Amino acid sequence: MTHAHLIILGSGAAGCTAAIYAARAGLAPLMIRGNQPGGQLTITTDVENYPGFAETIQGPWLMEQMEAQAKHCGATIVGDHIVQADLTAKTLVGMGGDTYTFDALIVATGASAKWLGLESEKTYNGRGVSACATCDGAFYRNREVAVVGGGNTALEEALYLANIAKHVTIIHRRDHFRGEKVLQDRVLAHPKISVIWDHVVADILGDPHPMTGGVTGLRLAHASTGVTRDIAIHGLFVAIGHQPNTKLFAGQLDMDATGYLVVEKGTVFALRDGQRVPGILAAGDVADPLYRQAVTAAGMGCMAALDANRWLESQHI
Ligand code: FAD
Ligand code: NAP
């Protein structure tokens, strides 16, 4: 069993920033990296809006730097993924059965990609269906691919794939994008990207043979009329948003209707039945249904470390 004054769950922008601030405050934090070390920015390429860098930087590089900074400041970093949490007993259990106890906990478990929920999506997952263009895009050199979604992720995935694939078709359920204007402009002007508006993916078509099969097309349905049409593609990239990683805390912390942790107004203390939970804080995408940016996650990580420090001091722990 490992005991730490402060445990930080997650190693994305929120977790790393919390670790930097907590280590500098002398809290000797233990940061548990989880199964996606560095978090969501490790599955993207260009980052143009994280302040401090005049030139475009790479997401994985930024996260390497954040973790190195946390380590340099004195945080201890553990490669484990937590599968059980008992906030009353202040105990966490890792994948291999290791247990961790804490005085204070910062939950910075972020969010994971959402899926369409089609049976065929499961059949072809990893064999033509992906939620990460930077991970799997290279398999589709000079092939036809589609991206579903209309947010920043979908637009960025399409632009990334356009450098590799023969052609990229974006399928969006509405007649306009939700993503930033600068990305919309780039997508709409790109000669290798086209958009099918007002359609949803009704089914993924292909040959399900486990060795030789794969995706051959999509059945699309018009969002209002339901009329279907088929298009030929080899790869589908699902980019329809993210869901917060909060299952561990079901019944233990307050969540909104979509599963995001709810924090106390003006602080980042987590709540249970509307009341502050002593020593439990939440930072980053896991508690942010609105902004979900690297810089806001980092800002909340900073707030969580400062709130944790004040709370630990107030308890004389
Ligand atoms: P995450 O980055 O989601 O990190 C969560 C961490 O928690 C991970 O380390 C994971 O391993 C860990 N974890 C989860 N569950 C457990 C568990 N049970 N036990 C232990 N650890 C656990 N934002 C920008 O500002 N600019 C961009 O250009 C940009 N590009 C993006 C591109 C893509 C493709 C995506 C998906 C997102 C992008 N974002 C961008 C959003 C940005 O990545 C997020 O806002 C940011 O990563 C949130 O940081 P976080 O620390 O809250 O969570
Ligand atoms: P998002 O902004 O929530 O967008 C999800 C998109 O998928 C929306 O267009 C939505 O359609 C569509 N969608 C949702 N469910 C669907 C379904 N079942 N079928 C078909 N379409 C569906 O998610 P995101 O693009 O992943 O972005 C998440 C956060 O990360 C955002 O805050 C974003 O700004 C941030 N991010 C930032 C950058 C950047 O700064 N460069 C890059 C990537 C992500 P509707 O529009 O109809 O709702």
Side-chain angles (χ1 to χ4, degrees):
M1 189 180 74
T2 306
H3 180 79
H5 204 30
L6 172 67
I7 289 186
I8 298 164
L9 207 50
S11 54
C16 286
T17 309
I20 292 164
Y21 274 78
R24 295 190 76 247
L27 298 180
L30 181 82
M31 180 170 84
I32 301 177
R33 293 172 98 204
N35 58 10
Q36 189 180 41
Q40 292 171 67
L41 276 191
T42 60
I43 59 159
T44 191
T45 49
D46 294 359
V47 176
E48 296 178 343
N49 53 10
Y50 196 82
F53 304 96
E55 305 294 332
T56 300
I57 52 167
Q58 298 299 300
W61 175 83
L62 178 62
M63 295 320 301
E64 267 172 38
Q65 293 298 310
M66 279 198 207
E67 186 174 306
Q69 192 177 356
K71 208 182 259 177
H72 177 77
C73 290
T76 301
I77 298 169
V78 172
D80 202 349
H81 187 81
I82 298 303
V83 292
Q84 220 176 300
D86 181 339
L87 298 183
T88 309
K90 296 202 163 186
T91 303
L92 306 171
V93 181
M95 277 207 355
D98 289 345
T99 57
Y100 305 86
T101 58
F102 55 84
D103 299 316
L105 174 73
I106 296 175
V107 179
T109 47
S112 302
K114 272 192 207 160
W115 295 95
L116 293 165
L118 299 168
E119 208 42 53
S120 49
E121 187 179 42
K122 287 189 203 133
T123 308
Y124 296 112
N125 200 325
R127 296 189 306 126
V129 175
S130 167
C132 176
T134 51
C135 315
D136 300 325
F139 297 123
Y140 300 94
R141 191 161 298 285
N142 296 323
R143 308 199 89 190
E144 291 279 347
V145 298
V147 175
V148 58
N152 279 338
T153 302
L155 302 182
E156 285 196 340
E157 299 274 84
L159 288 164
Y160 178 83
L161 288 165
N163 290 326
I164 301 168
K166 186 173 169 192
H167 183 80
V168 183
T169 306
I170 300 180
I171 294 136
H172 185 36
R173 63 183 179 182
R174 291 195 291 147
D175 63 357
H176 58 279
F177 290 130
R178 153 194 306 271
E180 285 168 19
K181 173 125 186 10
V182 61
L183 293 175
Q184 292 192 32
D185 291 346
R186 279 182 215 162
V187 159
L188 295 173
H190 201 294
K192 285 171 72 182
I193 302 176
S194 58
V195 186
I196 299 180
W197 303 104
D198 296 315
H199 277 77
V200 295
V201 177
D203 206 2
I204 300 159
L205 312 173
D207 170 2
H209 190 280
M211 305 303 287
T212 55
V215 170
T216 54
L218 298 178
R219 178 148 305 147
L220 306 180
H222 191 277
S224 46
T225 64
V227 172
T228 60
R229 63 189 266 207
D230 292 352
I231 62 166
I233 51 124
H234 302 109
L236 173 67
F237 289 83
V238 179
I240 60 167
H242 290 79
Q243 61 197 10
N245 297 319
T246 52
K247 273 201 194 125
L248 278 176
F249 307 106
Q252 303 190 71
L253 295 177
D254 289 353
M255 296 176 196
D256 71 8
T258 45
Y260 286 89
L261 296 181
V262 179
V263 293
E264 185 183 66
K265 204 162 184 250
T267 74
V268 289
F269 276 95
L271 300 176
R272 182 166 48 220
D273 300 328
Q275 301 298 312
R276 184 189 276 201
V277 188
I280 311 292
L281 303 107
D285 279 17
V286 75
D288 175 13
L290 201 57
Y291 304 106
R292 295 174 296 173
Q293 303 295 306
V295 67
T296 49
M300 287 177 81
C302 159
M303 290 167 70
L306 298 179
D307 282 347
N309 191 24
R310 284 194 200 109
W311 182 81
L312 286 162
E313 273 176 9
S314 73
Q315 303 298 303
H316 308 291
I317 301 176

